Amino acid sequence: MTPDEFRVAGHDLIEWIADYLERVEDLPVLSQVEPGEVRAQLPPAPPEQGEAFEAILADLDRVIVPGLTHWQSPNFFAYFPANASPPSILGELLSAGLGVQGMLWASSPACTELETLMLDWMVDALGLPDRFRSGGAGGGVIQDSASSATLCAVLAARDRARRGGAGLADLRAYASEHAHSSLAKAIRIAGLQDDQLRLVATDGEHALRPDELDRAIEADREAGLVPFLVLATVGTTSSTAIDPVSAVAACIGPDVWLHVDSAFAGVAAVCEELRSVNDGLDQADSYVVNVHKWLLTNFDASLLYVADAQPLIAALGILPEYLRNAATDSGEVIDYRDWQVPLGRRFRALKLWFVLRSYGLEGLRAHIRRHVGLAHELAGWITEHPDFEVVGPVPLSLVCFRHTGGDEANQAIMDRVNRSGAVYLTHTRLDDQVVLRLAIGARTTERRHVEAAWTAITDAAPRG
Ligand code: PLP
């Protein structure tokens, strides 16, 4: 592709994306294809000769779009949102266009320095504790996902405990039974057995019970085991339950690493009135919040903050000869390769920079507030309906609810509305009952979309 051909193809692709974003509302949200249908429409082997870009674009409409579930649809209410926004898409494109690797400060200084600045900007934007700012012992890094960030926290905590003399088999980690599965995976990757993670019981609102945590830690200490990590979740995946981080911190000593996972909920703190999601963070050793879920920054961009970077760098830092350079040796720069598992790293800060500058904090607050307001409105409609009930609190923009007709009725409602293509929602299980989850968070979701979703749900419900 020559530079001129690239210009033409690039304009065509941007046109295509802009057009997609305009028409996505009218597409069936959940892909209706059968397994194998997408692959069957494509040649089994790569072409021998290069093809024209128009031919590739044509296949997007013909083959790929029908096989998509449209996460950017305003009618997407499943899982948690994964916002993309035009400024963020452009930032992502620019990152690809520059094609730099930010593994070391020296390998592209702007990549590191913009990233550090964006993480400091986000400390201000979210009202996070100063201990997470760069310039002191702590700081932040942009990772690909909350799962990777939690893995890094587990590795840092594990190595800190090991340096303190603990045997690997004696280590114990703790989290609520509703903690995200990425913790269980991190425990395995860290070389621990599944049963070295204790799942602590939750209260009536599905939040971790500090008294149960205290009991579990004490019992393990008495048995000669070594509690090394507690993960508190602010906004669980099932129901956005909020673990009491301050009370959790009070149960553990400074020898136990406190990691707070607020992958979805944390960005709500751009709004002053929602800053309770930050309660207790001043006592956390590490904190993860995704801007790639609800903050208009497309996947992947997960912010990991640490109060002290040394244990993380001690766990992950390795300097082979071929990466040695004067800047690293000077000790004056951050080399983010020591803050993550892979060596190579993308220029992710660009898209966050574009988002923060394009929307401003006011724009981001309006985006979050709209969804939280709509969720409360929806919860009101559910409460008023004789056959439905809201399950648990609605602290943010996820509403958990159920039809009173039992698990099968709820499953049938969900299957019907999802098959219709008009709406997409998912479910969870709380207190051993199927619960429907409606997560409001797409960039273009308005009141009319939530109203239409609620109508689709009530229309799909069994008649009394
Ligand atoms: N933690 C929580 C609380 C989540 O809700 C999720 C995903 O929904 C994750 C972690 C994993 O996020 P990621 O996909 O960025 O690894």
Side-chain angles (χ1 to χ4, degrees):
M1 199 180 264
T2 64
D4 279 340
E5 286 168 341
F6 174 71
R7 275 192 188 90
V8 173
H11 283 120
D12 287 351
L13 186 61
I14 292 286
E15 277 295 330
W16 190 94
I17 295 171
D19 185 49
Y20 171 76
L21 293 177
E22 270 176 357
R23 71 196 167 97
V24 66
E25 173 169 1
D26 301 323
L27 300 172
V29 196
L30 178 65
S31 174
Q32 312 282 313
V33 298
E34 297 295 330
E37 204 176 312
V38 173
R39 183 176 176 146
Q41 294 178 74
L42 294 167
E48 209 51 59
Q49 259 83 48
E51 298 178 57
F53 194 69
E54 304 88 79
I56 307 172
L57 262 191
D59 277 354
L60 281 186
D61 288 312
R62 185 179 67 85
V63 184
I64 301 299
V65 172
L68 294 177
T69 289
H70 299 287
W71 286 67
Q72 303 313 316
S73 166
N75 300 311
F76 182 96
F77 300 106
Y79 311 108
F80 281 136
N83 287 170
S85 68
S88 173
I89 295 165
L90 294 174
E92 188 78 72
L93 177 64
L94 179 59
S95 169
L98 298 175
V100 302
Q101 280 285 347
M103 55 205 183
L104 305 166
W105 177 88
S107 68
S108 206
C111 185
T112 294
E113 293 195 12
L114 187 68
E115 182 160 334
T116 309
L117 179 66
M118 287 308 98
L119 286 149
D120 284 345
W121 276 16
M122 288 304 293
V123 168
D124 290 329
L126 301 178
L128 298 177
D130 274 342
R131 66 199 322 215
F132 293 146
R133 247 180 240 287
S134 69
V141 57
I142 307 183
Q143 303 244 348
D144 58 355
S145 65
S147 305
S148 298
T150 292
L151 171 61
C152 289
V154 168
L155 296 174
R158 179 199 65 181
D159 283 12
R160 191 180 71 168
R162 298 275 280 138
R163 276 194 306 280
L168 192 63
D170 291 337
L171 298 180
R172 292 294 178 274
Y174 308 79
S176 104
E177 55 196 329
H178 289 291
H180 190 264
S181 57
S182 51
L183 175 63
K185 195 183 269 192
I187 289 290
R188 282 190 192 171
I189 298 170
L192 278 64
Q193 302 298 313
D194 289 355
D195 61 5
Q196 288 179 258
L197 170 60
R198 308 276 202 227
L199 294 184
V200 178
T202 50
D203 62 19
E205 296 187 347
H206 311 110
L208 183 144
R209 283 180 51 183
D211 57 329
E212 289 286 335
L213 175 66
D214 202 33
R215 210 188 329 270
I217 289 181
E218 280 317 307
D220 281 341
R221 284 200 205 277
E222 271 169 33
L225 301 170
V226 182
F228 80 106
L229 173 116
V230 172
L231 177 141
T233 310
V234 175
T236 59
T237 315
S238 271
S239 67
T240 54
I242 296 180
D243 292 344
V245 178
S246 290
V248 166
C251 295
I252 61 181
D255 53 328
V256 181
W257 187 286
L258 177 57
H259 177 59
V260 177
D261 175 0
S262 196
F264 167 71
V267 297
V270 287
C271 302
E272 287 277 348
E273 72 277 17
L274 299 173
R275 289 252 162 110
S276 60
V277 296
N278 290 347
D279 286 354
L281 282 188
D282 52 339
Q283 293 161 82
D285 292 290
S286 53
Y287 175 62
V288 59
V289 54
N290 285 353
V291 290
H292 70 224
K293 281 182 161 44
W294 196 14
L295 207 68
L296 297 164
T297 310
N298 49 288
F299 190 86
D300 51 356
S302 180
L303 315 187
L304 171 67
Y305 287 100
V306 284
D308 179 0
Q310 273 322 306
L312 181 63
I313 294 171
L316 300 177
I318 291 177
L319 183 60
E321 186 56 35
Y322 46 80
L323 295 180
R324 274 198 177 281
N325 65 88
T328 297
D329 288 344
S330 77
E332 282 175 19
V333 300
I334 296 176
D335 287 332
Y336 277 126
R337 77 196 161 92
D338 293 340
W339 295 54
Q340 60 172 27
V341 173
L343 171 63
R345 55 198 332 274
R346 302 172 348 90
F347 199 165
R348 295 192 187 93
L350 279 174
K351 58 189 170 188
L352 182 55
W353 190 41
F354 280 24
V355 166
L356 289 169
R357 293 184 64 179
S358 298
Y359 286 90
L361 295 181
E362 275 186 11
L364 298 179
R365 286 184 201 116
H367 165 78
I368 298 285
R369 281 190 183 125
R370 190 176 77 248
H371 296 146
V372 173
L374 289 172
H376 287 127
E377 232 183 317
L378 172 66
W381 302 336
I382 295 169
T383 305
E384 278 165 21
H385 196 289
D387 299 332
F388 283 89
E389 60 194 13
V390 174
V391 179
V394 181
L396 297 166
S397 61
L398 170 70
V399 185
C400 291
F401 64 102
R402 64 193 313 272
H403 188 274
T404 52
D407 286 357
E408 276 181 28
N410 282 286
Q411 191 70 48
I413 291 169
M414 186 175 76
D415 291 346
R416 255 177 241 141
V417 297
N418 288 347
R419 247 196 330 268
S420 78
V423 175
Y424 183 29
L425 58 143
T426 48
H427 78 287
T428 189
R429 192 168 266 280
L430 291 172
D431 301 323
D432 213 22
Q433 290 188 319
V434 171
V435 169
L436 304 181
R437 295 170 75 265
L438 198 147
I440 302 172
R443 180 177 57 92
T444 52
T445 298
E446 296 170 13
R447 189 172 190 272
R448 66 190 169 92
H449 301 108
V450 181
E451 273 182 311
W454 177 232
T455 303
I457 290 162
T458 49
D459 284 355
R463 307 260 165 237

